[in-house]
Amino acid sequence: MYNADFLLETLEQLLLTDSPSGFCDPIMKQIQNVIKPLGYNMQLTNKGAAIITVPGRSSERVIGLSAHVDTLGAMVRSITSDGNLKFTLVGGPSVPSLDSEYCRVRARDGQEYTGTFLSTSPSVHVYEDSKTKARTPENMIVRLDECVKNAADVKELGIMNGDFIFIEPKTQITASGFVKSRFLDDKASVACLLTLLEWWSREAIIPEFTTKIFISTYEEVGHGSSYIPSDITEMIAVDMGCIGDDLSCTEYDVSICAKDSGGPYDYEMTSELIELAKLAELPFAVDIYPMYGSDVVAALRGGNDIKGALIGPGVHASHGMERTHVSALEATIKLLHSYITKQK
Ligand SMILES: [Zn+2]
Protein backbone atom coordinates (compact mmCIF):
# COMPACT_ATOMS: atom_id res chain seq x y z
CA MET A 1 0.00 0.00 0.00
CA TYR A 2 1.10 3.56 -0.54
CA ASN A 3 2.57 5.52 2.36
CA ALA A 4 0.22 8.38 3.32
CA ASP A 5 2.84 10.14 5.48
CA PHE A 6 5.35 10.06 2.62
CA LEU A 7 2.71 11.53 0.31
CA LEU A 8 1.89 14.53 2.50
CA GLU A 9 5.48 15.20 3.58
CA THR A 10 6.69 15.06 -0.02
CA LEU A 11 3.85 17.29 -1.20
CA GLU A 12 4.53 19.87 1.49
CA GLN A 13 8.25 19.97 0.67
CA LEU A 14 7.49 20.42 -3.04
CA LEU A 15 4.99 23.20 -2.32
CA LEU A 16 7.49 25.03 -0.12
CA THR A 17 10.16 25.02 -2.84
CA ASP A 18 9.84 27.83 -5.41
CA SER A 19 9.74 26.56 -8.99
CA PRO A 20 8.16 28.95 -11.48
CA SER A 21 8.63 27.89 -15.14
CA GLY A 22 12.25 28.68 -15.97
CA PHE A 23 13.54 28.27 -12.41
CA CYS A 24 13.24 24.55 -11.66
CA ASP A 25 16.84 23.43 -10.99
CA PRO A 26 16.53 23.65 -7.17
CA ILE A 27 13.33 21.58 -7.07
CA MET A 28 14.84 18.99 -9.43
CA LYS A 29 17.72 18.55 -6.96
CA GLN A 30 15.12 18.02 -4.25
CA ILE A 31 13.36 15.38 -6.37
CA GLN A 32 16.71 13.71 -7.05
CA ASN A 33 17.23 13.42 -3.28
CA VAL A 34 13.82 11.76 -2.89
CA ILE A 35 14.48 9.31 -5.75
CA LYS A 36 18.03 8.30 -4.84
CA PRO A 37 17.23 6.09 -1.82
CA LEU A 38 14.43 4.39 -3.80
CA GLY A 39 16.97 2.88 -6.19
CA TYR A 40 15.60 4.21 -9.49
CA ASN A 41 17.61 5.89 -12.20
CA MET A 42 16.82 9.57 -12.80
CA GLN A 43 18.15 11.53 -15.75
CA LEU A 44 17.73 15.15 -16.67
CA THR A 45 17.03 16.34 -20.19
CA ASN A 46 18.86 19.39 -21.59
CA LYS A 47 15.74 21.40 -20.83
CA GLY A 48 15.85 20.30 -17.20
CA ALA A 49 12.98 17.78 -17.13
CA ALA A 50 13.42 14.51 -15.23
CA ILE A 51 13.05 10.98 -16.58
CA ILE A 52 12.83 8.28 -13.91
CA THR A 53 12.86 4.77 -15.32
CA VAL A 54 11.14 1.81 -13.66
CA PRO A 55 12.10 -1.36 -15.53
CA GLY A 56 9.09 -3.60 -16.29
CA ARG A 57 8.70 -7.30 -17.04
CA SER A 58 8.49 -6.37 -20.68
CA SER A 59 9.79 -3.39 -22.63
CA GLU A 60 7.62 -4.20 -25.65
CA ARG A 61 5.60 -1.14 -24.65
CA VAL A 62 6.85 1.81 -22.62
CA ILE A 63 4.34 3.75 -20.56
CA GLY A 64 4.98 7.36 -19.68
CA LEU A 65 3.45 9.04 -16.64
CA SER A 66 3.99 12.77 -16.68
CA ALA A 67 3.38 15.59 -14.21
CA HIS A 68 4.75 19.12 -14.21
CA VAL A 69 6.68 20.58 -11.30
CA ASP A 70 6.88 24.11 -12.70
CA THR A 71 4.38 26.66 -11.43
CA LEU A 72 3.05 30.10 -12.09
CA GLY A 73 5.08 33.10 -11.02
CA ALA A 74 6.15 36.56 -12.04
CA MET A 75 9.25 38.43 -13.13
CA VAL A 76 10.49 41.98 -12.68
CA ARG A 77 9.57 43.95 -15.81
CA SER A 78 10.83 47.34 -14.70
CA ILE A 79 11.66 49.41 -11.63
CA THR A 80 9.55 52.53 -11.11
CA SER A 81 10.94 55.96 -10.24
CA ASP A 82 9.47 55.64 -6.74
CA GLY A 83 11.19 52.31 -6.05
CA ASN A 84 8.40 49.81 -6.77
CA LEU A 85 8.49 46.91 -9.22
CA LYS A 86 6.34 46.48 -12.28
CA PHE A 87 5.99 42.79 -13.12
CA THR A 88 5.23 40.41 -15.97
CA LEU A 89 3.44 37.11 -15.40
CA VAL A 90 4.99 33.67 -15.79
CA GLY A 91 2.12 31.45 -16.91
CA GLY A 92 -1.48 32.45 -16.28
CA PRO A 93 -2.23 33.09 -12.60
CA SER A 94 -5.60 34.56 -11.63
CA VAL A 95 -4.29 38.12 -11.32
CA PRO A 96 -7.01 39.44 -8.97
CA SER A 97 -6.02 36.65 -6.56
CA LEU A 98 -2.48 38.14 -6.43
CA ASP A 99 -3.70 41.41 -4.93
CA SER A 100 -2.16 41.76 -1.45
CA GLU A 101 -0.23 38.50 -1.68
CA TYR A 102 3.25 38.30 -0.21
CA CYS A 103 6.12 37.41 -2.50
CA ARG A 104 9.90 37.19 -2.68
CA VAL A 105 12.13 38.73 -5.34
CA ARG A 106 15.29 36.77 -6.13
CA ALA A 107 18.21 38.86 -7.31
CA ARG A 108 20.64 37.14 -9.70
CA ASP A 109 23.22 36.94 -6.87
CA GLY A 110 20.80 34.67 -4.97
CA GLN A 111 19.72 37.27 -2.42
CA GLU A 112 15.96 37.27 -1.79
CA TYR A 113 13.84 40.26 -0.77
CA THR A 114 10.26 40.12 0.50
CA GLY A 115 7.46 42.21 -0.93
CA THR A 116 3.72 42.45 -1.58
CA PHE A 117 1.65 42.52 -4.77
CA LEU A 118 -0.64 45.58 -4.61
CA SER A 119 -2.92 47.61 -6.80
CA THR A 120 -1.65 51.07 -7.78
CA SER A 121 -4.70 52.39 -5.86
CA PRO A 122 -3.96 50.41 -2.71
CA SER A 123 -5.45 52.58 0.04
CA VAL A 124 -9.22 52.98 0.54
CA HIS A 125 -8.62 56.29 2.36
CA VAL A 126 -6.88 57.84 -0.61
CA TYR A 127 -8.13 56.40 -3.90
CA GLU A 128 -11.75 56.48 -5.04
CA ASP A 129 -11.13 53.48 -7.29
CA SER A 130 -9.28 51.36 -4.70
CA LYS A 131 -12.10 48.79 -4.67
CA THR A 132 -12.97 48.84 -8.34
CA LYS A 133 -9.70 49.27 -10.23
CA ALA A 134 -9.15 46.23 -12.45
CA ARG A 135 -6.49 43.96 -11.00
CA THR A 136 -4.20 43.60 -14.02
CA PRO A 137 -0.40 43.72 -14.15
CA GLU A 138 -0.66 47.23 -15.68
CA ASN A 139 -2.50 48.44 -12.56
CA MET A 140 -0.33 46.63 -10.04
CA ILE A 141 3.13 46.77 -8.50
CA VAL A 142 5.27 44.85 -6.05
CA ARG A 143 6.08 46.90 -2.94
CA LEU A 144 9.48 45.89 -1.56
CA ASP A 145 10.09 45.62 2.19
CA GLU A 146 13.31 47.62 1.90
CA CYS A 147 14.01 51.32 2.55
CA VAL A 148 14.01 52.29 -1.12
CA LYS A 149 12.88 55.69 -2.39
CA ASN A 150 13.78 55.46 -6.06
CA ALA A 151 14.94 53.13 -8.82
CA ALA A 152 18.62 53.64 -7.95
CA ASP A 153 18.00 52.39 -4.40
CA VAL A 154 16.37 49.22 -5.77
CA LYS A 155 19.21 48.60 -8.22
CA GLU A 156 21.65 49.08 -5.33
CA LEU A 157 20.10 45.97 -3.73
CA GLY A 158 21.06 44.00 -6.82
CA ILE A 159 17.49 43.76 -8.15
CA MET A 160 17.17 44.14 -11.91
CA ASN A 161 14.73 43.49 -14.75
CA GLY A 162 14.31 39.76 -15.39
CA ASP A 163 14.58 38.70 -11.74
CA PHE A 164 12.10 36.05 -10.65
CA ILE A 165 9.27 36.91 -8.26
CA PHE A 166 8.07 33.93 -6.21
CA ILE A 167 4.44 34.03 -5.05
CA GLU A 168 3.99 32.73 -1.48
CA PRO A 169 2.24 29.34 -1.72
CA LYS A 170 0.63 29.69 1.76
CA THR A 171 0.59 25.90 2.20
CA GLN A 172 -1.62 24.42 4.92
CA ILE A 173 -2.68 20.85 5.53
CA THR A 174 -5.79 20.70 7.71
CA ALA A 175 -6.81 18.03 10.22
CA SER A 176 -9.87 17.44 8.03
CA GLY A 177 -7.63 16.26 5.18
CA PHE A 178 -7.58 19.31 2.92
CA VAL A 179 -4.41 20.60 1.34
CA LYS A 180 -4.72 24.36 0.80
CA SER A 181 -1.97 25.95 -1.24
CA ARG A 182 -1.09 27.64 -4.45
CA PHE A 183 0.50 25.38 -7.03
CA LEU A 184 -1.28 22.12 -6.20
CA ASP A 185 -1.38 22.33 -10.01
CA ASP A 186 0.66 20.30 -10.50
CA LYS A 187 2.76 19.52 -7.46
CA ALA A 188 -0.10 17.41 -6.07
CA SER A 189 0.38 15.08 -9.06
CA VAL A 190 4.19 15.10 -8.80
CA ALA A 191 3.79 14.03 -5.15
CA CYS A 192 1.41 11.25 -6.29
CA LEU A 193 4.00 9.95 -8.78
CA LEU A 194 6.83 10.06 -6.20
CA THR A 195 4.55 8.23 -3.75
CA LEU A 196 3.95 5.50 -6.35
CA LEU A 197 7.72 5.12 -6.76
CA GLU A 198 8.17 4.85 -2.97
CA TRP A 199 5.44 2.18 -2.88
CA TRP A 200 6.87 0.16 -5.78
CA SER A 201 10.39 0.37 -4.40
CA ARG A 202 9.39 -0.67 -0.86
CA GLU A 203 7.26 -3.60 -2.01
CA ALA A 204 9.56 -4.54 -4.93
CA ILE A 205 6.67 -4.17 -7.39
CA ILE A 206 7.68 -4.57 -11.02
CA PRO A 207 5.31 -3.04 -13.59
CA GLU A 208 4.05 -5.13 -16.51
CA PHE A 209 5.75 -2.75 -18.94
CA THR A 210 8.71 -0.45 -18.47
CA THR A 211 7.40 2.79 -17.02
CA LYS A 212 9.01 6.18 -17.40
CA ILE A 213 8.02 8.97 -15.05
CA PHE A 214 8.48 12.30 -16.81
CA ILE A 215 8.59 15.41 -14.61
CA SER A 216 8.28 18.40 -16.91
CA THR A 217 9.40 21.96 -16.25
CA TYR A 218 7.84 24.31 -18.80
CA GLU A 219 4.21 23.14 -18.78
CA GLU A 220 2.71 26.40 -17.56
CA VAL A 221 4.20 28.21 -20.54
CA GLY A 222 3.01 25.62 -23.04
CA HIS A 223 5.89 23.30 -24.00
CA GLY A 224 6.46 21.05 -20.96
CA SER A 225 6.50 17.65 -22.67
CA SER A 226 7.17 18.79 -26.23
CA TYR A 227 10.09 16.35 -25.95
CA ILE A 228 9.59 12.95 -24.32
CA PRO A 229 11.76 9.81 -24.62
CA SER A 230 11.14 8.32 -28.06
CA ASP A 231 10.45 4.81 -26.75
CA ILE A 232 7.27 5.92 -24.91
CA THR A 233 4.25 4.40 -26.67
CA GLU A 234 1.48 5.67 -24.44
CA MET A 235 1.41 8.42 -21.86
CA ILE A 236 -0.88 9.45 -19.04
CA ALA A 237 -0.58 13.13 -18.15
CA VAL A 238 -1.25 13.42 -14.43
CA ASP A 239 -2.48 16.95 -13.87
CA MET A 240 -5.13 18.71 -11.83
CA GLY A 241 -8.79 17.88 -12.41
CA CYS A 242 -11.08 20.84 -13.06
CA ILE A 243 -13.96 21.65 -10.68
CA GLY A 244 -16.81 24.05 -11.42
CA ASP A 245 -19.71 24.84 -13.74
CA ASP A 246 -20.76 21.94 -15.93
CA LEU A 247 -18.17 19.62 -14.35
CA SER A 248 -18.86 16.64 -12.11
CA CYS A 249 -15.49 16.37 -10.33
CA THR A 250 -15.05 17.30 -6.65
CA GLU A 251 -12.03 17.72 -4.39
CA TYR A 252 -12.48 14.09 -3.31
CA ASP A 253 -12.28 12.55 -6.79
CA VAL A 254 -9.73 11.51 -9.33
CA SER A 255 -10.80 13.24 -12.52
CA ILE A 256 -10.59 11.41 -15.85
CA CYS A 257 -10.60 13.88 -18.72
CA ALA A 258 -12.25 12.66 -21.93
CA LYS A 259 -11.56 15.85 -23.90
CA ASP A 260 -9.93 19.22 -23.34
CA SER A 261 -8.96 22.17 -25.54
CA GLY A 262 -6.61 19.84 -27.44
CA GLY A 263 -9.48 17.51 -28.41
CA PRO A 264 -10.44 14.00 -27.28
CA TYR A 265 -7.97 11.76 -25.45
CA ASP A 266 -7.28 8.17 -26.55
CA TYR A 267 -10.56 6.26 -26.43
CA GLU A 268 -9.11 2.91 -25.36
CA MET A 269 -6.92 4.31 -22.58
CA THR A 270 -9.71 6.52 -21.23
CA SER A 271 -12.16 3.59 -21.26
CA GLU A 272 -9.66 1.39 -19.43
CA LEU A 273 -9.07 4.07 -16.78
CA ILE A 274 -12.84 4.38 -16.23
CA GLU A 275 -13.17 0.59 -15.96
CA LEU A 276 -10.29 0.34 -13.47
CA ALA A 277 -11.72 3.17 -11.35
CA LYS A 278 -15.07 1.34 -11.21
CA LEU A 279 -13.45 -2.00 -10.36
CA ALA A 280 -11.41 -0.49 -7.52
CA GLU A 281 -14.48 1.50 -6.34
CA LEU A 282 -12.50 4.75 -6.41
CA PRO A 283 -14.22 8.14 -6.20
CA PHE A 284 -13.91 9.35 -9.79
CA ALA A 285 -15.46 11.69 -12.34
CA VAL A 286 -15.28 11.87 -16.14
CA ASP A 287 -15.32 15.42 -17.46
CA ILE A 288 -14.66 17.70 -20.41
CA TYR A 289 -12.32 20.57 -19.53
CA PRO A 290 -13.27 23.80 -21.33
CA MET A 291 -9.95 25.72 -21.07
CA TYR A 292 -7.10 23.30 -20.62
CA GLY A 293 -4.07 21.81 -22.35
CA SER A 294 -2.05 18.96 -20.82
CA ASP A 295 1.45 17.55 -21.24
CA VAL A 296 -0.02 14.88 -23.52
CA VAL A 297 -1.19 17.60 -25.88
CA ALA A 298 2.27 19.24 -25.69
CA ALA A 299 3.85 15.86 -26.54
CA LEU A 300 1.48 15.31 -29.48
CA ARG A 301 2.09 18.83 -30.77
CA GLY A 302 5.82 18.16 -30.37
CA GLY A 303 5.41 15.39 -32.96
CA ASN A 304 5.48 12.33 -30.69
CA ASP A 305 3.58 9.26 -31.91
CA ILE A 306 1.81 8.28 -28.69
CA LYS A 307 -1.59 7.41 -27.31
CA GLY A 308 -2.50 9.71 -24.44
CA ALA A 309 -4.85 10.11 -21.50
CA LEU A 310 -5.29 12.67 -18.74
CA ILE A 311 -6.21 12.09 -15.12
CA GLY A 312 -5.54 13.89 -11.83
CA PRO A 313 -6.81 14.96 -8.44
CA GLY A 314 -9.72 17.43 -8.39
CA VAL A 315 -8.36 20.90 -7.56
CA HIS A 316 -10.69 23.75 -6.59
CA ALA A 317 -10.02 27.39 -7.58
CA SER A 318 -7.16 26.55 -9.96
CA HIS A 319 -4.45 29.16 -10.60
CA GLY A 320 -5.81 31.00 -7.54
CA MET A 321 -5.87 29.80 -3.93
CA GLU A 322 -6.22 26.14 -4.69
CA ARG A 323 -7.45 23.30 -2.52
CA THR A 324 -7.76 19.52 -2.79
CA HIS A 325 -8.40 16.67 -0.38
CA VAL A 326 -6.26 13.63 0.42
CA SER A 327 -9.12 11.49 -0.92
CA ALA A 328 -8.43 12.82 -4.44
CA LEU A 329 -4.69 12.20 -4.09
CA GLU A 330 -5.30 8.66 -2.88
CA ALA A 331 -7.71 7.89 -5.73
CA THR A 332 -5.16 9.22 -8.26
CA ILE A 333 -2.37 7.06 -6.80
CA LYS A 334 -4.56 3.94 -6.75
CA LEU A 335 -5.84 4.43 -10.28
CA LEU A 336 -2.32 4.86 -11.67
CA HIS A 337 -1.17 1.83 -9.69
CA SER A 338 -3.87 -0.42 -11.14
CA TYR A 339 -3.24 0.87 -14.67
CA ILE A 340 0.47 0.14 -14.42
CA THR A 341 0.34 -3.17 -12.57
CA LYS A 342 -2.82 -4.84 -13.97
CA GLN A 343 -2.21 -4.04 -17.57
CA LYS A 344 -2.31 -7.01 -19.91
ZN1 LIG B 1 -1.20 21.84 -14.61
Side-chain angles (χ1 to χ4, degrees), residues 68 185-186 219-220 239-240 292 319:
H68 66 92
D185 171 15
D186 187 28
E219 196 275 347
E220 292 291 4
D239 207 338
M240 53 144 284
Y292 200 103
H319 287 200

Side-chain angles (χ1 to χ4, degrees), residues 152-165:
D153 289 348
V154 175
K155 287 176 188 161
E156 190 67 26
L157 296 172
I159 293 174
M160 57 190 284
N161 299 347
D163 286 348
F164 272 104
I165 303 171

Side-chain angles (χ1 to χ4, degrees), residues 72-132:
L72 312 166
M75 195 179 253
V76 178
R77 190 175 78 201
S78 60
I79 302 167
T80 66
S81 55
D82 55 355
N84 291 312
L85 305 176
K86 297 298 290 178
F87 60 90
T88 180
L89 300 173
V90 175
S94 155
V95 182
S97 85
L98 293 182
D99 187 11
S100 303
E101 288 291 73
Y102 290 163
C103 61
R104 276 162 292 115
V105 182
R106 186 186 196 277
R108 296 236 168 220
D109 63 6
Q111 190 69 42
E112 290 186 7
Y113 299 95
T114 63
T116 308
F117 287 97
L118 289 168
S119 140
T120 46
S121 296
S123 174
V124 292
H125 301 100
V126 181
Y127 302 96
E128 271 184 12
D129 63 349
S130 69
K131 295 174 186 169
T132 55

